[in-house]
Amino acid sequence: MSTPADPLAALSALPGVAESVESVRKAVDRVYGHRVMRRRSNEITSEAALRGARGSAALSGSDWALEEVRRRSDFSGDGEARTVGAALRLSAEAGQLLSIWRQSPLRVLARLHLVAAGTQEDTVGRPRQGAEPVDEPLIELPLPGAEEVAGRLEGLSGLVIAGSPAPALVMAAVVHGELLALRPFGSYNGLVARAAERVVLVGSGLDPKSICPAEAGYAELGRAAYVAALDGYASGTPEGMAAWIAHCGKAVELGVRESTAVCEALQRGAA
């Protein structure tokens, strides 16, 4: 990723990015303007959290039906169950970290990994060191070394702390893509990356009530499209970066569609 004075501004100027940003903004505005949101927004937020968690888990290989996620209370079983449980815990935790993110994003990332892992092992909640392995089988990009990870995490942290007038979608896409490319932790990097994107989208004011579950959108678009778009981000080319941002935007719009359908169902039930 290039490092001009404001790299996010440079990304915002790429062909097609402004159109993605505007399309997302209009979609989000529409669902926030739905009449059901005026009196039942808490229900929409809760349902969006559940659907987002299900979608994020699906991208990490645990593609459970929504009703199964809703029904289950014990997620301590096999690897798939633990992944779903981790996604649900992250969905609940992300909203508690908004005030810390802009001052200490690395602290938030450490907390997210701790919540996802659900253990107190000494490798949890810190970037990997030396040749420590990474369990992230669905992401096949070359794995950066620990020294590169540390440097790029510091760069990402500085970018967040400095702030930028660039659109929230661009910042969210960069945070998400960078964490996936780096895979800084030994496990659950995909879940953490998507939770961090959620923190950005909510904290930026684009989706303050967290009702637009992009994670559900990514799952709908499919893992193959997700991986292909991430390859574009990792390439660092203008075309690849723009394609990744557009993919993130489309996922947010599909998340909006999910919540709009929930609003419509609640409205029919109240009629």
Side-chain angles (χ1 to χ4, degrees), residues 156-238:
L156 183 64
S157 176
L159 196 64
V160 172
I161 293 169
S164 171
L169 175 65
V170 175
M171 173 65 90
V174 168
V175 168
H176 184 173
E178 192 71 354
L179 292 174
L180 278 179
L182 292 178
R183 283 146 292 162
F185 302 111
S187 60
Y188 297 115
N189 288 286
L191 296 182
V192 168
R194 291 183 289 274
E197 180 187 64
R198 165 75 16 224
V199 170
V200 174
L201 292 173
V202 174
S204 67
L206 177 64
D207 181 19
K209 293 183 182 295
S210 195
I211 62 168
C212 307
E215 305 92 332
Y218 291 121
E220 183 173 342
L221 291 166
R223 289 202 295 267
Y226 187 68
V227 169
L230 178 62
D231 286 346
Y233 175 87
S235 75
T237 64

Side-chain angles (χ1 to χ4, degrees), residues 105-170:
L106 297 184
R107 181 180 164 196
V108 169
L109 294 176
R111 175 62 184 170
L112 290 173
H113 186 242
L114 184 66
V115 168
T119 72
Q120 298 292 331
E121 297 175 12
D122 61 3
T123 58
V124 171
R126 64 156 175 81
R128 53 190 168 82
Q129 301 171 359
E132 289 177 349
V134 174
D135 180 15
E136 202 71 44
L138 298 178
I139 305 297
E140 298 181 352
L141 293 171
L143 190 67
E147 186 174 343
E148 181 181 350
V149 167
R152 286 173 65 176
L153 281 177
E154 285 295 334
L156 183 64
S157 176
L159 196 64
V160 172
I161 293 169
S164 171
L169 175 65
V170 175

Side-chain angles (χ1 to χ4, degrees), residues 11 14-15 17 229 231-233 235-246:
L11 293 178
L14 292 175
V17 170
D231 286 346
Y233 175 87
S235 75
T237 64
E239 297 80 8
M241 297 292 283
W244 170 249
I245 294 168

Side-chain angles (χ1 to χ4, degrees), residues 50 53-54 57 62-89:
L50 184 71
R54 191 218 74 84
S62 300
D63 193 1
W64 289 14
L66 181 63
E67 290 310 313
E68 177 66 7
V69 178
R70 198 190 306 278
R71 181 187 66 82
R72 288 280 286 270
S73 58
D74 181 7
F75 298 94
S76 62
D78 59 16
E80 284 198 9
R82 290 194 298 273
T83 295
V84 175
L88 288 166
R89 291 193 299 273

Side-chain angles (χ1 to χ4, degrees), residues 43-61:
E43 292 174 69
I44 308 301
T45 296
S46 296
E47 186 65 17
L50 184 71
R51 293 177 184 229
R54 191 218 74 84
S56 193
L59 287 168
S60 288

